[in-house]
Amino acid sequence: MASTDSGRPGAGGTPAPARAAGGRTTSRDVARAAGVSQATVSLVLGDKWRGRVSERTAGTVREAARELGYRPNLAARNLRLGRTRTALLVVPALTSEFFARVYTGANGVAAEHGFGVVLYPSPVGTGPALDPFDSARAALDGVIASSMAADTLSGMRGGGLPLVMLDSDPRAGTGTAATVNLDIADGMRQVARHLLALGHRRFAHLAAAVDSWTFRERAGALTRAVAAVPGPALARESAALEVEAGRRAAERVLRVAAERRPTALVCDDDLLAAGACKAARGLGLRVPEDVSVTGFDDLALATAVDPELTTVRLPAEAVGARGMTALLDALDGRVPDTAPLPVLLVPRASTGPPPRP
Amino acid sequence: MASTDSGRPGAGGTPAPARAAGGRTTSRDVARAAGVSQATVSLVLGDKWRGRVSERTAGTVREAARELGYRPNLAARNLRLGRTRTALLVVPALTSEFFARVYTGANGVAAEHGFGVVLYPSPVGTGPALDPFDSARAALDGVIASSMAADTLSGMRGGGLPLVMLDSDPRAGTGTAATVNLDIADGMRQVARHLLALGHRRFAHLAAAVDSWTFRERAGALTRAVAAVPGPALARESAALEVEAGRRAAERVLRVAAERRPTALVCDDDLLAAGACKAARGLGLRVPEDVSVTGFDDLALATAVDPELTTVRLPAEAVGARGMTALLDALDGRVPDTAPLPVLLVPRASTGPPPRP
DNA sequence: CTGTTAGCGCTTTCAT
DNA sequence: ATGAAAGCGCTAACAG
């Protein structure tokens, strides 16, 4: 297995080859080349030399480093410093734009503070046995976990690292540094209000078959919003988070006599909504004339399909940014901001008044 | 904390506080708790103790480690070993399922060899100044880069690490350990053959406005395939890799007199194809009756839209797996397999015979 | 201003 | 079968 094992061939009388024979350039090589000590190199390259090293020496050192193509050994630095300036972002799926945008937001804030962010896609099964602290070999200063399934949480507590939860149950936070949440419930309330105002009274909820806070929140909020006005009915059907599963679930819900058929399909996710639209068309129903459909997330898909989806826009970048900020705060002993982020209904072409009976 | 020797009574003497006061548990803490030397701990926990440490001692050590919740310090291990068993996977975009699947494939192979894979989404601008070796703070043994834009390549050569390119120009490989490619050209040829067989003669190519090998390959292959038979015309229009950009580009191409209008839109990507379908419908044209549309990649989107897209399926997982295998080979001095991976046209509902004039 | 020194926590000879 | 000791490359006290 050992690959790069030329390691340390008994170096005879050194003719001062500024670069170690087989290995990488070290700070000592730079020091030798510049004719200074290792400490000076560290100071200069670490940019803490103002008033401690002469301008001229600093220049020499930088020149030598450039010349030799010196790159500091992270492992050594991390070992010495005891921290890595690296955070792990755990996401349930790589595919989704939502998480891509969360990453972008987190990475932006991280970069401003000299931190890096490493992605860990939680294995699909999301069994409790996940171990990001072994799998992502990077040594870590903290963990940010987004939208994790309930049972995955438990496994997450390894390493005793600061943990920031994103889009997750705020009450689960025993030992959690902070929870950054979206106002999911308000989003669902906006959906309900929109549809009720259009005149809908028979609803069906296409729920994601994923046991996580964010989806329980959506279900609860919809139930309450619909129950708040007299009269309306609410059916519910679950589906895996895929277009095809959404299509099948919607088909089950729509295949009933017209007078009992829901006039509005509220979906937990844009993928499900896309499936719902396909189901409707497959049954000869028009969207939105015969049945209105709403999504959630406002992914690119929402405007890729026809008609474009009425959906709830989630400020994903902001979630990531706030998550990273919270982690940084926790790391520095400050108390993280924890107000929920607002979300916004974006009405488009997939919703309209219910059909006249 | 009670006295720590719950596992190993009888070893009088040291009341040693098995866990360092403020910090994490180290292998020395474990050694003390188990009443052995650090070396023994390393041997046992590194699973190289057969015949070197007694069964009984090994048990004691493992018990102590478990008891104390010991986790080896990766930074120290990496420093000592000079390698990290970590590879970096550089991808141009997080959003795409394609890269998610490449990751999955790479990670699977990596795991079998005790490696981890860390993702580095190359910044959107893909300016040449990217530095994954600083951004992803993890120390790395090698880099796998997928579908990178041409100018991004140059920046990639930092660190002198083994580099495996995926879906990239094989000739760019100066200093590259290996290139794992898809038979992109053959995919495009299959598309052309399919459409020609259906009777199409007026084509338009919706090209991705991204300067990378994979898209140049698609353009070249289509041009050649169409030129190979007498008669056909081929227009070309570029668009950013987004549905809306694809829609606009398709609109430009379709907004001409019916007798000059292309009857088949060959798109570089499923996103573009989805946009093309929207454009067609927006202009009152039916897909595939009035115009056929093909995609590339076979993303989930391909079956989410209506009609489902005829597209070229790319074996993304296999690409990732082969990439990781090639990196492992290079690391161990073996010579990587470099045959292109086959791709397959999947005919669906978005293509049909051209309209009768 | 600059050099010397002492480890960070781990693995690995080499003695015992 | 086990322990002692060296050292990976780096940074931060502390001397000079």
Side-chain angles (χ1 to χ4, degrees), chain A residues 78-96:
Chain A
N78 292 343
L79 175 56
R80 177 66 237 243
L81 261 22
R83 59 215 163 68
T84 57
R85 298 193 92 73
T86 301
L88 187 76
L89 176 61
V90 184
V91 299
L94 229 37
T95 307
S96 157

Side-chain angles (χ1 to χ4, degrees), chain A residues 83-324:
Chain A
R83 59 215 163 68
T84 57
R85 298 193 92 73
T86 301
L88 187 76
L89 176 61
V90 184
V91 299
L94 229 37
T95 307
S96 157
E97 281 161 70
F98 179 75
F99 298 113
R101 289 166 53 202
V102 168
Y103 171 85
T104 304
N107 196 47
V109 170
E112 288 169 13
H113 295 259
F115 268 68
V117 177
V118 157
L119 270 169
Y120 182 76
S122 170
V124 273
T126 62
L130 116 155
D131 192 356
F133 312 99
D134 186 66
S135 301
R137 324 323 276 336
L140 306 170
D141 286 346
V143 178
I144 303 176
S146 185
S147 317
M148 300 309 293
D151 58 347
T152 308
L153 281 181
S154 38
M156 198 100 288
R157 298 290 327 140
L161 292 169
L163 205 209
V164 171
M165 304 284 297
L166 268 31
D167 188 29
S168 303
D169 193 341
R171 295 163 326 197
T174 57
T176 301
T179 305
V180 173
N181 267 350
L182 294 158
D183 202 341
I184 295 290
D186 182 59
M188 207 41 124
R189 255 178 264 128
Q190 293 182 52
V191 169
R193 216 177 299 136
H194 171 72
L195 292 169
L196 285 165
L198 284 168
H200 292 272
R201 289 301 177 267
R202 291 197 305 278
F203 298 89
H205 179 206
L206 255 60
V210 173
D211 180 28
S212 66
W213 174 83
T214 196
F215 293 119
R216 277 196 306 275
E217 192 75 356
R218 294 172 201 200
L222 179 60
T223 303
R224 286 189 300 273
V226 166
V229 305
L234 174 61
R236 178 164 281 139
E237 192 73 40
S238 320
L241 268 179
E242 300 153 17
V243 174
E244 178 52 22
R247 196 194 58 73
R248 284 195 306 264
E251 219 172 62
R252 289 194 295 273
V253 153
L254 291 173
R255 224 196 264 292
V256 298
E259 61 281 7
R260 299 199 304 119
R261 187 197 301 139
T263 62
L265 262 37
V266 178
C267 305
D268 262 357
D269 179 89
D270 290 341
L271 266 62
L272 260 25
C277 290
K278 285 184 80 170
R281 257 192 309 271
L283 295 171
L285 301 168
R286 292 157 306 161
V287 178
E289 290 80 359
D290 297 314
V291 55
S292 285
V293 174
T294 66
F296 218 100
D297 284 7
D298 196 23
L299 309 179
L301 178 63
T303 52
V305 298
D306 204 3
E308 299 189 346
L309 294 175
T310 293
T311 188
V312 175
R313 174 171 299 165
L314 266 26
E317 285 89 353
V319 172
R322 281 273 293 270
M324 191 67 211

Side-chain angles (χ1 to χ4, degrees), chain B residues 126-350:
Chain B
T126 60
L130 118 155
D131 191 356
F133 313 99
D134 185 69
S135 300
R137 324 322 278 334
L140 307 170
D141 286 346
V143 177
I144 303 176
S146 184
S147 318
M148 300 310 292
D151 58 348
T152 308
L153 281 180
S154 37
M156 198 99 287
R157 298 291 327 140
L161 293 169
L163 206 209
V164 171
M165 304 284 297
L166 268 31
D167 188 29
S168 302
D169 192 342
R171 293 162 327 194
T174 58
T176 301
T179 305
V180 173
N181 267 350
L182 294 158
D183 202 341
I184 296 291
D186 183 58
M188 207 40 126
R189 255 178 265 129
Q190 292 182 52
V191 169
R193 215 177 298 137
H194 171 71
L195 292 170
L196 286 165
L198 284 169
H200 292 273
R201 288 301 177 268
R202 290 196 306 280
F203 298 90
H205 179 205
L206 255 59
V210 174
D211 180 29
S212 66
W213 175 83
T214 195
F215 293 120
R216 275 196 306 275
E217 192 76 356
R218 294 171 204 199
L222 179 61
T223 303
R224 285 189 300 273
V226 167
V229 306
L234 173 61
R236 178 163 283 139
E237 192 74 41
S238 307
L241 269 179
E242 299 153 17
V243 174
E244 177 54 20
R247 194 193 58 71
R248 284 195 307 263
E251 221 173 59
R252 289 195 295 274
V253 153
L254 291 174
R255 224 197 265 293
V256 298
E259 62 281 7
R260 299 199 304 120
R261 186 197 301 136
T263 61
L265 262 36
V266 178
C267 304
D268 263 357
D269 179 87
D270 289 343
L271 266 61
L272 260 25
C277 291
K278 285 184 80 172
R281 256 192 310 271
L283 295 171
L285 301 169
R286 292 157 306 161
V287 177
E289 291 81 358
D290 298 313
V291 55
S292 286
V293 174
T294 65
F296 218 100
D297 283 7
D298 196 23
L299 309 178
L301 178 63
T303 51
V305 297
D306 203 3
E308 298 188 348
L309 294 174
T310 293
T311 190
V312 175
R313 174 171 299 166
L314 267 27
E317 286 87 355
V319 172
R322 281 271 293 270
M324 191 66 211
T325 304
L327 181 59
L328 258 13
D329 284 345
L331 248 20
D332 291 356
R334 271 163 304 181
V335 47
D337 176 4
T338 183
L341 264 14
V343 304
L344 186 67
L345 177 77
V346 183
R348 285 197 278 248
S350 69

